[in-house]
Amino acid sequence: MKRVPLFISFEGPEGSGKSTHIKLLFNYLKRKGFLVVKFREPGDTSIGEKIRKILLDPKNKNMGKLTETLLYMASRSQLIEEKISPYLKKGYIVLCDRFFDSTFAYQGFGLGVDIDLIKRLTKAVCKGIIPNLTIILDLPVKTGLRRLGSYKDRIEQREFSFHERLRRGYLKLAKLYPERIKVIKVDKNFKNTQRKIRELVLKRLCPLKI
């Protein structure tokens, strides 16, 4: 098996197809002989899954925006300590469904939490772990929300303007960090979107395999 420590995060508005494309990429990389794992945020640790239930439960309507931010950070801290950092040290490709850019987009641009505060918290929580590549799957908010099922979690239920703000936030982040963050417009044909994702990933892998 090929050992290539590479951290790839996937971001995007609701309904962008991140989970589907991560699974497809995961299977593709395994077939290519790479050691690869995939995780999601919040969650994928015992503590993180409990935090996830609290964050997404529609009954928790009174949750404050700072409380929300800190809970996401807590789940992320646990995931880094338990899973992401150890697997990167073992030479795995780590795929993550959302990472710290989500906090900037959702809680920062979406809810108005102070960006400088998020930066300070991110620095403390991530301890220097930054994705080598972040792929934003972008599509119009209306299209994404239409893709959701009948059940919507606490975040998905928010007003349309919130989802518009976070999408604009993602695109702003891509302009600020063009070397790390790449935007892929979601195609109606998912195979075209997946092809573009694989091209980006293979481009990052090529120099590392030498």
Side-chain angles (χ1 to χ4, degrees):
M1 299 294 283
K2 302 171 187 175
R3 294 180 181 273
V4 184
L6 190 72
F7 184 20
I8 304 171
S9 61
F10 281 75
E11 301 284 354
E14 302 296 335
S16 56
K18 293 180 290 71
S19 301
T20 298
H21 284 292
I22 288 175
K23 185 177 180 180
L24 289 170
L25 179 63
F26 173 81
N27 292 333
Y28 171 75
L29 291 172
K30 281 193 74 174
R31 291 196 302 270
K32 287 285 186 180
F34 291 98
L35 288 170
V36 56
V37 288
K38 59 183 176 70
F39 303 117
R40 69 173 182 178
E41 273 209 356
D44 265 338
T45 65
S46 177
I47 292 171
E49 288 299 324
K50 291 173 183 176
I51 294 174
R52 183 184 182 88
K53 287 181 181 179
I54 294 170
L55 281 165
L56 302 186
D57 189 344
K59 294 177 183 177
N60 294 329
K61 295 179 180 179
N62 295 326
M63 185 182 297
K65 59 185 181 181
L66 184 55
T67 301
E68 178 176 305
T69 303
L70 293 173
L71 283 172
Y72 274 108
M73 290 289 181
S75 177
R76 182 169 303 133
S77 177
Q78 195 67 28
L79 183 62
I80 289 170
E81 188 174 332
E82 276 193 37
K83 304 287 181 71
I84 294 176
S85 184
Y87 273 104
L88 286 174
K89 288 176 182 177
K90 292 176 185 176
Y92 278 70
I93 297 173
V94 175
L95 308 179
C96 198
D97 186 341
R98 299 199 183 283
F99 199 56
F100 61 61
D101 293 294
S102 280
T103 305
F104 285 98
Y106 277 72
Q107 286 73 51
F109 294 105
L111 292 181
V113 174
D114 182 68
I115 295 295
D116 287 332
L117 173 61
I118 294 175
K119 286 180 179 178
R120 292 196 298 273
L121 290 169
T122 297
K123 185 177 181 179
V125 165
C126 295
K127 299 175 182 177
I129 292 183
I130 299 172
N132 301 99
L133 172 65
T134 296
I135 297 172
I136 294 177
L137 297 178
D138 182 54
L139 78 173
V141 171
K142 284 184 180 179
T143 304
L145 294 178
R146 278 201 303 267
R147 290 181 168 192
L148 301 178
S150 55
Y151 173 82
K152 293 182 176 61
D153 63 38
R154 190 178 66 88
I155 308 297
E156 293 168 345
Q157 287 181 7
R158 284 181 172 151
E159 70 277 6
F160 185 82
S161 59
F162 165 81
H163 293 282
E164 285 278 19
R165 289 194 299 274
L166 74 87
R167 184 195 178 201
R168 289 195 298 270
Y170 271 132
L171 297 178
K172 183 174 181 178
L173 288 170
K175 289 182 178 179
L176 288 172
Y177 307 101
E179 289 300 313
R180 175 175 66 87
I181 302 177
K182 305 297 179 184
V183 178
I184 293 179
K185 297 293 182 183
V186 175
D187 195 288
K188 289 181 180 179
N189 186 335
F190 77 93
K191 291 182 179 179
N192 291 335
T193 304
Q194 179 65 199
R195 175 180 53 79
K196 293 175 184 176
I197 290 170
R198 291 178 184 180
E199 287 174 356
L200 278 177
V201 173
L202 291 175
K203 192 177 292 185
R204 293 297 170 109
L205 282 171
C206 282
L208 296 174
K209 289 188 290 181
I210 298 172

